[in-house]
Amino acid sequence: MNEGVEWALHSCLNLAWIGEDRAVTAARLAAYHALPTAYLNKQLQALARAGIVTSTPGPKGGFRLARPLERITLMDVVTAIEGPDEAFRCAEIRKQGPGETPHTGHELPCAFAESMAKAELAWRRELAACTLADVRKRAEKRAPGARDTLRRWFENS
Amino acid sequence: MNEGVEWALHSCLNLAWIGEDRAVTAARLAAYHALPTAYLNKQLQALARAGIVTSTPGPKGGFRLARPLERITLMDVVTAIEGPDEAFRCAEIRKQGPGETPHTGHELPCAFAESMAKAELAWRRELAACTLADVRKRAEKRAPGARDTLRRWFENS
DNA sequence: GCCCAGTTACTCGGATACCACTTGTCCGAGTCACCGTGG
DNA sequence: CCACGGTGACTCGGACAAGTGGTATCCGAGTAACTGGGC
């Protein structure tokens, strides 16, 4: 899986902690975790295309959350970064070569693909059931000072 | 996801349909679906290392199933081909740069990683619950002639 | 006829290139803030 | 003092390279079957 997913998740949480009142540039978000600025910018663009964050150009511009964390799921972020394609894409090799399935088995979906899709659906269901607000709650319980440290750093930057 | 997974799954099913009495070479398995022989051989080697199939060299050699399909799950095959690593590997970026989580939040696992791992566990659970025998049953119901066609082709090859 | 050793051909197995995609970087279009000027 | 136009700098956004892992291939080590000869 693309590692940009982790960057995007933490960036969303950071944006929420900073507050929705002001936009944050990709450079500052990147600096906070020592990430390559331009590449994180690329991921944030993907989030913007997905409607998870909004981007404003010009001075005092940057990114901010498009909606509260309660309405953003892990699935949203993963889909925004990874794309909508399924991980297991059936190439239908059973239809190639002499082994092409006979007796009207072509139209019906491949039994393997079906089971893999079912498993992937369970994965997506879990991701869709977990909002970033849930994660924020757990993170604040574990590292109580993280939020304040972050706000202080972004104000003094 | 690696496309070799699909090849391995179909090859296992084909081996089961052919019968356990004789070994089948990678070349014939590949020819049946018009796949590159050497590369499929590589995937079969991975299955052999995982103990899913056994390989015998020399004339009349080849691959055969190490155990019946009832005891082979989708998870086994996926792990054999893809490796045991999780798809989402947390790089712990929260510990980098000025944003390193303070107040003893380091030892506890990342909340994001935890949720992602939970979702992935659901995926693995589904894969582990589905045996290749289940898939075979469904495939035979959809394409009743597939098994006989396959056996005929492999006998006349 | 039976046994055995040598040869042979066939198999897997790992070492070796090729290619696509992820990762990483750069510069330009657009935009808002700021500043100086005029009323 | 206030309004306004011009300038400037800062932002995102997409186009452009580099590195890594998946994809594909080849050749060698090893083995079991086959063949021919000897008993």
Side-chain angles (χ1 to χ4, degrees):
Chain A
M1 174 170 298
N2 205 321
E3 72 173 326
V5 172
E6 184 185 1
W7 302 4
L9 289 171
H10 280 286
S11 296
C12 284
L13 181 56
N14 290 344
L15 284 174
W17 271 340
I18 291 167
E20 299 179 10
D21 49 349
R22 63 172 181 173
V24 184
T25 69
R28 290 186 183 176
L29 283 172
Y32 193 64
H33 288 305
L35 301 175
T37 302
Y39 192 36
L40 177 62
N41 187 24
K42 200 179 185 61
Q43 315 297 342
L44 292 172
Q45 284 176 34
L47 292 181
R49 274 192 294 270
I52 296 173
V53 302
T54 60
S55 64
T56 59
K60 299 287 181 181
F63 296 92
R64 70 187 72 193
L65 287 175
R67 54 182 188 267
L69 291 190
E70 283 79 5
R71 299 187 67 81
I72 303 175
T73 67
L74 294 179
M75 183 78 261
D76 295 332
V77 176
V78 170
T79 301
I81 303 296
E82 288 280 301
D85 297 344
E86 292 194 353
F88 180 83
R89 51 188 161 78
C90 184
E92 295 288 353
I93 65 169
R94 59 181 180 151
K95 296 182 182 176
Q96 301 174 359
E100 49 181 347
T101 310
H103 299 300
T104 72
H106 281 190
E107 304 79 14
L108 298 172
C110 175
F112 282 118
E114 206 174 39
S115 293
M116 296 296 286
K118 184 185 173 189
E120 203 162 325
L121 185 66
W123 176 67
R124 292 187 128 83
R125 204 181 295 273
E126 282 287 327
L127 292 183
C130 183
T131 70
L132 295 195
D134 301 332
V135 178
R136 174 179 54 184
K137 190 175 178 181
R138 238 178 310 144
E140 288 176 349
K141 185 174 292 183
R142 293 183 181 178
R147 193 186 82 108
D148 296 337
T149 302
L150 179 135
R151 294 190 74 139
R152 221 173 297 125
W153 187 87
F154 272 91
E155 285 169 2
N156 298 356
S157 64
Chain B
M1 173 170 298
N2 205 320
E3 72 173 327
V5 172
E6 184 185 1
W7 301 6
L9 289 172
H10 279 285
S11 294
C12 284
L13 181 57
N14 289 343
L15 284 174
W17 271 341
I18 292 167
E20 300 179 11
D21 50 348
R22 63 171 179 174
V24 184
T25 68
R28 290 188 182 175
L29 283 172
Y32 193 64
H33 289 305
L35 301 175
T37 301
Y39 192 36
L40 177 63
N41 187 24
K42 197 178 185 62
Q43 314 297 343
L44 292 172
Q45 285 176 33
L47 292 181
R49 273 192 293 271
I52 296 173
V53 302
T54 60
S55 63
T56 59
K60 300 285 182 183
F63 296 92
R64 69 186 73 193
L65 287 174
R67 55 181 187 268
L69 291 189
E70 283 79 6
R71 300 188 67 80
I72 303 175
T73 67
L74 293 179
M75 183 79 261
D76 295 332
V77 177
V78 170
T79 301
I81 303 295
E82 289 279 300
D85 298 344
E86 291 193 354
F88 179 84
R89 52 188 159 78
C90 184
E92 295 288 354
I93 63 169
R94 59 181 180 151
K95 296 183 183 175
Q96 300 173 0
E100 49 179 346
T101 311
H103 298 300
T104 72
H106 280 190
E107 303 80 12
L108 298 173
C110 175
F112 282 118
E114 207 174 39
S115 293
M116 296 296 286
K118 184 184 175 190
E120 202 163 325
L121 186 65
W123 177 67
R124 293 186 128 85
R125 205 180 293 276
E126 282 288 326
L127 291 183
C130 183
T131 69
L132 295 195
D134 301 330
V135 178
R136 174 179 56 183
K137 191 175 178 181
R138 238 178 308 144
E140 287 176 350
K141 185 174 293 183
R142 294 184 181 177
R147 193 186 83 108
D148 295 336
T149 303
L150 179 135
R151 294 189 74 138
R152 222 173 296 125
W153 187 88
F154 272 92
E155 285 169 0
N156 297 357
S157 66

